[in-house]
Amino acid sequence: MSDLGHVLVLAGGLSYEREVSLRSGRRVGEVLRAAGIPVEIRDTDASLVPTVLADPPDAAFVTLHGGSGEDGAIRSVLELLSVPYVGAGPDACRVAYDKPTAKAVVRSVGLRTPDSVTLPKETFHDLGASKVLSRIVERLGLPLFVKPSQGGSALGASVVRTAEELPSAMVGCFAYGDTALIERFVEGVEVAVSVLDLGEGPVALPPVEIVPDGGVYDYAARYTAGHTEFFAPARLSPEVAAACAEMAVTAHTALGLRDVSRTDLIVDSDGLPHFLEVNVAPGMTETSLLPMAVEAAGDDLGTVCRVLLEQAAARGTV
């Protein structure tokens, strides 16, 4: 039996990923209730603070994606309210949420990550878009991958295979954020490695291989059943799988993360993994990667969520 008498699951928010967050929250609520834990699912609106003050939960599970859910803001509020929560603290979230900063941190500890350029929208316009983009192609080559420097669910992200496609990719990117991250695109096998710390240090779960039917793991491929084929565990040699696991745990540790994270990688034709980004609030929907990895490891998602909450409650807001 668990000592958890009142658990709060935060879902929704006002980011572009609201609908996905609501689905994640419902899933976490379902598996926790099945595990015998009383759950309250709440959005992050003006009623949240007075409700929490009136009836403080034992711990909170944050399933907010994008925006304040992953940039540390909501976690800062939870700490102000003395509510323990699952996951990384505000400072680590701010670093991990900004993709160029996260890349710099993992590169500093020796991880392989694609060469890239970070370009704010103002600079893109002020210096002359065509001249800047021409130079990017000269430096990084083709193909490229363009994505917002913050956010997830592949919103605003696209593959660029010709120089003529780059301007429209930048416009699409800037629709979801003010800064673009333009990376050298690495052809290979897309893999996600979730990391859990259930009290004995961070451990990588089996890698999940992602094979979208259109070749690109975009928003529709992520959240529409049947649009992507998943292999859990991934079809990798033991040596490559071990390298992916090591990269994910190293990234988790270097970025100061806690409890749970998911690292997205590309394994190139030589079997070398490349770090792409890390997620501090991994999706928990029916098509999300962390639940697949938990199942592939032979674990129960409800039990994992319960243990994470119990750890958070015991830890408090430290």
Side-chain angles (χ1 to χ4, degrees), residues 121 124-125 146 156 165-177:
K121 181 163 57 177
F124 177 69
H125 289 300
V146 178
E165 295 174 348
L166 187 52
S168 61
M170 298 294 290
V171 171
C173 176
F174 288 137
Y176 290 94

Side-chain angles (χ1 to χ4, degrees), residues 12-18 43-45 64-68:
L14 295 177
S15 79
Y16 294 113
E17 299 172 75
R18 173 179 174 80
D43 210 329
T44 52
D45 53 27
L64 297 161
H65 307 316
S68 59

Side-chain angles (χ1 to χ4, degrees), residues 16-17 19-20 23 152-155 217-224:
Y16 294 113
E17 299 172 75
E19 291 305 315
V20 178
R23 289 169 57 185
S153 292
L155 292 167
Y217 194 42
D218 57 14
Y219 186 90
R222 288 167 189 252
Y223 302 114
T224 306

Side-chain angles (χ1 to χ4, degrees), residues 9-291:
V9 174
L10 294 179
L14 295 177
S15 79
Y16 294 113
E17 299 172 75
R18 173 179 174 80
E19 291 305 315
V20 178
S21 173
L22 290 170
R23 289 169 57 185
S24 285
R26 284 194 295 268
R27 179 84 187 281
V28 170
E30 289 168 1
V31 299
L32 284 172
R33 291 184 183 114
I37 307 298
V39 176
E40 177 186 8
I41 301 176
R42 291 199 63 88
D43 210 329
T44 52
D45 53 27
S47 68
L48 179 63
V49 171
T51 299
V52 168
L53 289 174
D55 186 16
D58 296 316
F61 203 112
V62 180
T63 62
L64 297 161
H65 307 316
S68 59
E70 296 184 64
D71 67 3
I74 286 295
R75 296 162 198 246
S76 293
V77 172
L78 291 174
E79 293 188 358
L80 287 172
L81 298 172
S82 298
V83 175
Y85 55 88
V86 172
D91 290 344
C93 285
R94 279 188 283 271
V95 173
Y97 185 60
D98 187 72
K99 296 179 179 67
T101 303
K103 282 169 63 74
V105 170
V106 302
R107 193 189 294 272
S108 74
V109 296
L111 297 190
R112 190 182 300 103
T113 186
D115 290 341
S116 62
V117 172
T118 303
L119 195 61
K121 181 163 57 177
E122 292 80 5
T123 304
F124 177 69
H125 289 300
D126 293 348
L127 298 184
S130 62
K131 296 182 179 62
V132 173
L133 295 184
S134 175
R135 185 59 183 156
I136 289 173
V137 172
E138 288 178 19
R139 178 182 166 190
L140 297 180
L142 290 167
L144 298 169
F145 194 81
V146 178
K147 58 187 174 183
S149 67
Q150 299 181 343
S153 292
L155 292 167
S158 58
V159 178
V160 173
R161 298 193 179 277
T162 68
E164 291 73 24
E165 295 174 348
L166 187 52
S168 61
M170 298 294 290
V171 171
C173 176
F174 288 137
Y176 290 94
D178 292 332
T179 302
L181 174 63
I182 306 107
E183 290 183 314
R184 178 176 290 136
F185 181 69
V186 178
E187 301 276 4
V189 178
E190 190 160 359
V191 174
V193 183
S194 298
V195 172
L196 287 178
D197 186 346
L198 300 181
E200 298 181 355
V203 175
L205 297 180
V208 178
E209 180 182 347
I210 303 153
V211 186
D213 58 8
V216 178
Y217 194 42
D218 57 14
Y219 186 90
R222 288 167 189 252
Y223 302 114
T224 306
H227 279 220
T228 299
E229 190 173 8
F230 300 98
F231 296 89
R235 299 170 298 177
L236 303 172
S237 71
E239 295 78 15
V240 173
C244 291
E246 181 181 4
M247 179 171 280
V249 171
T250 300
H252 180 97
T253 304
L255 291 164
L257 304 183
R258 185 174 66 186
D259 296 337
V260 60
S261 70
R262 191 196 75 231
T263 293
D264 297 336
L265 312 169
I266 288 285
V267 178
D268 67 22
S269 57
D270 293 323
L272 299 175
H274 299 252
F275 172 92
L276 298 180
E277 58 189 74
V278 69
N279 193 308
V280 301
M284 302 292 282
T285 74
E286 297 78 4
T287 58
S288 291
L289 303 168
L290 186 144

